[in-house]
Amino acid sequence: ALAPHIAALERAYIIGALARTRGRVMEAAELAGISRRTLSRMLSRLDLDKSEYRSSREATAVGDDDGSI
């Protein structure tokens, strides 16, 4: 009965860390106080994709810094 609530909290916390670090797993792991490997396992278990938290600006070409979004 408690497990679903813990999983929901874990998921929300990890999503927040990924959003704050724009999908950078190493930085998100440091923020959460866990190893990168542990976070990677959690991403798999929680069916989360780090790329969903990367900003669209990071997908643009290098040097394309005109300030637009």
Side-chain angles (χ1 to χ4, degrees):
L2 188 58
H5 298 290
I6 293 171
L9 287 172
E10 270 183 336
R11 184 177 185 83
Y13 188 82
I14 296 304
I15 287 172
L18 286 170
R20 188 168 175 190
T21 62
R22 295 185 179 162
R24 294 183 194 101
V25 174
M26 190 66 198
E27 289 179 29
E30 288 174 6
L31 186 65
I34 58 177
S35 71
R36 182 207 49 82
R37 186 173 181 181
T38 297
L39 181 56
S40 293
R41 288 179 180 158
M42 290 177 82
L43 292 173
S44 293
R45 182 171 45 86
L46 298 170
D47 196 28
L48 294 173
D49 181 0
K50 66 184 178 191
S51 65
E52 292 180 24
Y53 303 94
R54 293 196 173 133
S55 70
S56 59
R57 272 182 69 77
E58 289 182 352
T60 62
V62 173
D64 183 17
D65 193 17
D66 64 357
S68 63
I69 294 179

